[in-house]
Every structure is written in C-alpha cells, then in structure tokens.
Amino acid sequence: MCYSQCSLVGSDAGKGASGSAGSTGSADGAGSGKGPASGSASSENPYAGLVSHLRAAWLSGKTRPLEYRTAQLEALGRFLDEKKQEILEATALDMGKPSTEAYFTEILLCKNELHDTLNNLCCWMKDERVDKNLVTQLDSAFIRKDPYGVVLIIAPWNYPIHLFLVPLIGAIAAGNCVIIKPSEIAKNTEKLVAETLPCYLDSDCFAVVTAGVEETTKLLENKFDYIFFTGSATVGRIIMEAAAKHLTPVTLELGGKNPCYVSDTCDVQNVARRVAWGRFFNAGQTCLAPDYLLCTLEMQEKLMPALRAAIVEFFGSNPKESPDFGRIVGDKQFRRIQALLCSGRVAIGGQTDEKERYIAPTVLADVLPSDPAMQEEIFGPILPIVVVANMDEAIDFINARPRPLAIYAFSCDCKVVNQVLERTSSGGFCGNDTLMHVTLSSLPFGGIGNSGLGKYHGKFTFDTFTHQRGCLHRNMGLETLNSLRYPPYTPQKQGLMTAALEIKRKGMCTLL
Ligand code: NAD
C-alpha cells in the first residue's frame, strides 16, 4: 500500500512502499506535519488519516473558488504535456499500446475534456435560478452547485490514464478533494502516476493511492462522499456494497458484451474497416469495443474477405510485427482470452504467443450462443460472428441478454439503424461506426443495468461530482402574507394558499 500526496515520493513508490506529503513515511500524512485531526493510521484502517486530512482541507473551503479549481485543472494540463512521452512509454510497456492509440486516448481525449471544462466551468458553477410560486415571488430560489466533499476514483488498467483523469477533471471542477486509485495491473503507468501526478496537484486535497485488492478493501472501509468506479461488474458489486455501508452515492462504469448488428444492405468493406478498427484497437481491451457480430449467413460470407483485407491493411500480413497492434496486459488475462478461441471456427487469425502475450486479430465464424466466447465479455482481439436469420432475430438476441454499454448497427437503410435503436436498450449507441460516439464530450457516457450506473464526459462529469442543492432565501418582511399558512387554519386561508401555491394543468378550463 502506498499513497502519494506530493513530489517526494521516491522511485520505490508502489505496493508495499509508502509516501506522504513531504516524506516517505506513515500512511497518515503525519510525516508532513499535516496529519489528521483524528483517526490516525493503524493496521486496521491505514487510510483513515489520509481521508481525514483531505476532509479537513475540504471543510476549510479551499477547493471552492473558481480560481483554485482552474489552477488545479491547468496543472493537470501541464501533467499531460510534460509527461506525455513517459505516458506513451509506460502504456507501451504495460500492454504494448501503440503510441498513436495511446496519444489519442490517454492524451488528446483527456485534453479535450480538460479544455471543455476550463472553457465552461465559470458558467457550470453558477447558481441556477428556478421558477417560483406566488408566495415566493420576492424571494431568491436557486440551485447551488455544491461539491460532494471527499471522493474516491477507482480506475481499471486498459486506458490507465484516461479512466482516472477524465473523472478527476470533473471532480476537481466541481470543487471536491479526491483520492485516486489507479489500477495495479498496468504497473508501469501506476508507478508513473504515483510518482509524478502528486507533483502537480495540491497535496492537501489530492492524493494517489497505489493499492491491490487487499488494500483497496481497506480503503473502501472509510467514508467517502462519492465513489466513481470503472471496472468489471463483479468488482462493481463489491464497490456498491462497501458504499452502501456509508450510504455513499456511486457511479459504476462497467463492461459487458456490446452487440454489433450488420444488416444485409451495407457497404461491406467500410463495415469491415470500422468494425475491425473498433474491435482490435488496444488489442481488443476496450470496454466499448464491438464484442460480437450478428448478421445473416450471407453477410458472414461477404464480411469474411472484407475483414481479412481490413486486418492486412491495418497490421500487415503478420500483425505480430506491426507497431500498431498491442499486447494483452497480463498472463492471467492472456490465458482467459486464449481459452475463448475454441468457440465456433477460426476463420481469420487464431495465432498466439504466450511469452509475448500476443493474440492475433481473430475472427470466429458460426459461433453459437452456447460457446465460451459468448458467455463473458471478450476484452481481447477476438471477434465472434453469430448468425441470425434477420434483424428481428438480432433484436430478440440482444434483448434476451443484459443491457450492454453500447449497441452498434450497420445499414445503408436508416430505418434499420433506427429500428435497432428504438427496440433495444443500452448505455450508448452508434449507428454505422464503432467507438466514435466516445469522442463527443457533448454525449453522456455510461451504462445501464449490468453495464453500469451513472454517466460522465463533458458537463455530465461536472454534474456527477456536484450535489444540486435546492435553496430558497426568503425575504424577512411581508409577514401578513405568511400568516395565511399559520394556524388557526380557516377555509378562507386554505383557499387563498391554494390559489397562491397551486400549479394548474396547461390547457385546462379554469372557469369551471
Ligand atoms: P477490475 O474490476 O478487475 O478492476 C478495476 C479496479 O478495481 C482496479 O483499480 C482494481 O484494483 C480494483 N479492484 C479489483 N478487485 C477489487 C476488489 N475485490 N475490491 C476492491 N477493488 C478491487 O477491472 P479491470 O480488469 O481493471 O478492467 C476490466 C473491466 O473494466 C472490463 O470489464 C471492462 O469492460 C471494464 N471497463 C469499463 C469501462 C467503462 O467505461 N464502462 C472502461 C474500462 C474498462
């Protein structure tokens, strides 16, 4: 276990080591002379001191001014600029992430979120005036955009910067103090974040905790005011259970199997390129990737040469040699994905190399719903094709399964795409492409049902980390008007109060 609040965390940062503000020392922050007022670290709860240190900072109100939030957000921008090369190198070491993919997802999309937030924060933070009734006409009624307090962000390994940084942008923008728990699986990136990010942020309000399962379990015993979790549904349930003990609200960004329907009327080569790009990006380790295709037998036959051509176009005849194709993050994950290759018939790819954790871009044909590849989220470079008779059968297939993070539908006929959209339910939807809806910070991003709870990106992230506090500030005078609601009650007072408070249905005749 380790947490880092400032620049002096040494190169030994990582599990088993610890660093705190101004020192490498105990986990209660006391090494910095800024230890907690209560709840110091102990083996039972090694994070109590850190959490109460951040809580004291939050209660002091220092995170509330626009200038403070802007300065911290700008520091995040400097982190991305100055550590860009290290980020590309760390993600390459962790999972052979191609540098263009790393730049696009870990740097560019994060900077877009940051700039969107900085451009609009002043406006988002403003009190929102609301409609009033007759009785409160002279008063002030508004929604105050309050921070929650001390929030916890837990991230997975597949986009190890993006998936803690984008929520962090919103959490800072909304005025919270934050503990960031990156994934221990992407260990090079985790180390980089623990060692460098705290140098950019105010150590009183923001800390990075490096922790495995055991330590995270202890971290979760503390009371947070909001928990933002990205990861698997299994762990999502554990997070929600821990949060329930403190009645802490949560966002759960989970995964699952994203279906992709390809109708008989489409430009086959374009579909193949767009599907192959989305499936094999980051070697398939993308929560939003199209997990399997649904199409007719005829379309499967047409797609196969087109998919083969797309794979060769992207990665050459030997994808293992391509600098643009990644690797599986760990041995455990490699073996899990490899075991799915026995589903259906390997039509393209299928080669593996355990030493390199390489799995070739693979397409499986004639996969049955009962095959292993259809029992769990694939999260690797394998694309099964399940044959259906028509669109109605595809829709029934989708609706018979847990609601996914995304549904994709390809067709030259808009009506087909719209039918799939209207007759199914999912976190998000993209017609005639894959993944691209995630590039719009104007769209909410999040799951539904098994794929998660809550949403973020752009203003939605700010709103997620903001408590909308309903406020009424009344005038002290006009007591005669107020006396209408005080006892002793009379039918006359009741009639006048009803007239002042009642909301009438529009278009209803008021004469009767
Ligand atoms: P994971 O659930 O195993 O781990 C996520 C985080 O939870 C990590 O930081 C990990 O340390 C922590 N964790 C693991 N076990 C824990 C436990 N028992 N108690 C407390 N914390 C624990 O997920 P992963 O393997 O890192 O990521 C893959 C999963 O994440 C896939 O299912 C993928 O679809 C999903 N995902 C979803 C999104 C999204 O935006 N919806 C994005 C990326 C990944």
Side-chain angles (χ1 to χ4, degrees), residues 338-352:
Q338 193 181 35
L340 305 178
L341 288 169
C342 62
S343 311
R345 152 177 73 86
V346 175
I348 302 172
Q351 303 82 1
T352 63

Side-chain angles (χ1 to χ4, degrees), residues 154-159 163 181-185 211-217 220 229-236 238-239 252-256 285-288 333 377 379 405 445-447 451-452 456-457:
I154 300 181
W157 50 264
N158 58 331
Y159 294 96
L163 292 171
K181 211 297 284 173
S183 170
E184 75 284 18
I185 308 285
V213 173
E214 202 184 311
E215 296 96 339
T216 311
T217 306
L220 284 165
F229 170 80
T230 307
S232 61
T234 309
V235 180
I238 295 170
I239 303 294
L252 301 176
E253 295 285 340
L254 311 177
Q285 300 162 115
T286 303
C287 59
L288 259 190
Q333 289 82 354
E377 179 183 10
F379 221 57
L405 189 57
F445 178 81
S451 58
Y456 74 131
H457 287 186

Side-chain angles (χ1 to χ4, degrees), residues 16-17 49 118-119 129 193 227 233 238 268 296 310 343 359 372 381 395 400 415-416 431 448 507 512:
L118 282 164
N119 290 343
R129 301 280 143 189
V193 171
I227 299 177
I238 295 170
V268 177
T296 59
S343 311
I359 297 178
I395 289 173
K415 286 200 211 90
V416 172
I448 181 168
L512 297 177

